[in-house]
Amino acid sequence: MSESIPTDASANRLVQYLLEKGLGGFPPLSSAADLADEYLIDLDYTDNEQRVNALIKWEMSKNFTTGFITGLGGIVSMPVGVPSALVASWLIQARMAGAIARIYGHDLDADRVRTLILLSLAGDVAKAAMSDLGLNLGGKLPQTALKQVPGRALVEINKRIGLQLLTKAGGRTVAQFPKAIPVVGGVVGGAFDAVVCRLFCRTARKLFRPVADA
């Protein structure tokens, strides 16, 4: 049985959608900036590390549940042929990554920050995307390495990440996301594995924490 091959156009639509909706928000989710501001204005926290810790703990308990993701997937307007529950989970991750970035002082409108957000939710497939372009981060933190990447190359990196995500989602290799989402009858649903949630949050923290503290 043949499977559709992801195209550059579909990859671009996916990453643009994830960034637009994940950062901008859509009912019932507020924007990533508004989410971050809830923690930034709370004087109970003494520093940004406490704010990020609290955000991760609360948002994981609130959002990464079977009912929430499945329900959110039911209202997601899909730009590409990916199971809606899977895209809903990516949107939640993009929103959390954006909020973490803002708490650490990053500009969510900056192209490099947006590429880092995609890298955070892509996980291991991001390595393949970077490798395809001949970019080897070595021991550098991605936020440091990306400062040396020309702006036009960021567009290509984003597209490659989108292609990798579509390839994983479109085939039976969805199961290769490390315990990420249970697959039942070929339809992605259910709750995120708590271990994978924590892994994603650690990645986002590492990507956006000030380099001197990382």
Side-chain angles (χ1 to χ4, degrees), residues 125-190:
V125 301
K127 296 178 182 178
M130 302 288 275
S131 177
D132 286 347
L133 294 172
L135 298 174
N136 185 357
L137 299 183
K140 298 180 181 178
L141 286 174
Q143 63 171 286
T144 300
L146 283 182
K147 290 180 180 178
Q148 304 171 14
V149 175
R152 287 187 177 182
L154 294 176
V155 176
E156 187 65 23
I157 291 172
N158 294 352
K159 183 185 71 179
R160 294 301 178 96
I161 293 173
L163 286 170
Q164 291 289 337
L165 290 174
L166 287 173
T167 298
K168 288 288 187 181
R172 304 195 183 280
T173 51
V174 166
Q176 293 177 10
F177 279 97
K179 297 183 180 179
I181 304 174
V183 180
V184 180
V187 178
V188 178

Side-chain angles (χ1 to χ4, degrees), residues 16-193:
Q16 289 169 10
Y17 181 83
L18 293 178
L19 290 172
E20 176 188 351
K21 298 296 185 182
L23 299 184
F26 62 97
L29 298 179
S30 63
S31 69
D34 286 344
L35 175 61
D37 288 348
E38 292 178 21
Y39 294 86
L40 287 169
I41 65 177
D42 193 331
L43 299 180
D44 288 339
Y45 304 114
T46 59
D47 56 32
N48 288 337
E49 285 301 302
Q50 285 191 4
R51 293 184 177 93
V52 170
N53 287 338
L55 182 149
I56 290 171
K57 181 179 180 180
W58 176 242
E59 293 303 309
M60 280 178 57
S61 65
K62 184 171 65 176
N63 291 340
F64 290 105
T65 63
T66 300
F68 188 84
I69 289 183
T70 302
L72 186 60
I75 63 173
V76 168
S77 177
M78 294 300 302
V80 291
V82 179
S84 58
L86 179 55
V87 172
S89 69
W90 285 339
L91 289 173
I92 292 173
Q93 289 182 71
R95 178 174 177 261
M96 289 180 64
I100 291 170
R102 181 174 172 86
I103 288 174
Y104 281 132
H106 296 276
D107 179 3
L108 296 185
D109 290 326
D111 291 338
R112 283 173 172 76
V113 171
R114 291 179 167 232
T115 295
L116 287 170
I117 288 169
L118 293 174
L119 286 171
S120 71
L121 66 91
D124 287 341
V125 301
K127 296 178 182 178
M130 302 288 275
S131 177
D132 286 347
L133 294 172
L135 298 174
N136 185 357
L137 299 183
K140 298 180 181 178
L141 286 174
Q143 63 171 286
T144 300
L146 283 182
K147 290 180 180 178
Q148 304 171 14
V149 175
R152 287 187 177 182
L154 294 176
V155 176
E156 187 65 23
I157 291 172
N158 294 352
K159 183 185 71 179
R160 294 301 178 96
I161 293 173
L163 286 170
Q164 291 289 337
L165 290 174
L166 287 173
T167 298
K168 288 288 187 181
R172 304 195 183 280
T173 51
V174 166
Q176 293 177 10
F177 279 97
K179 297 183 180 179
I181 304 174
V183 180
V184 180
V187 178
V188 178
F192 260 79
D193 186 286

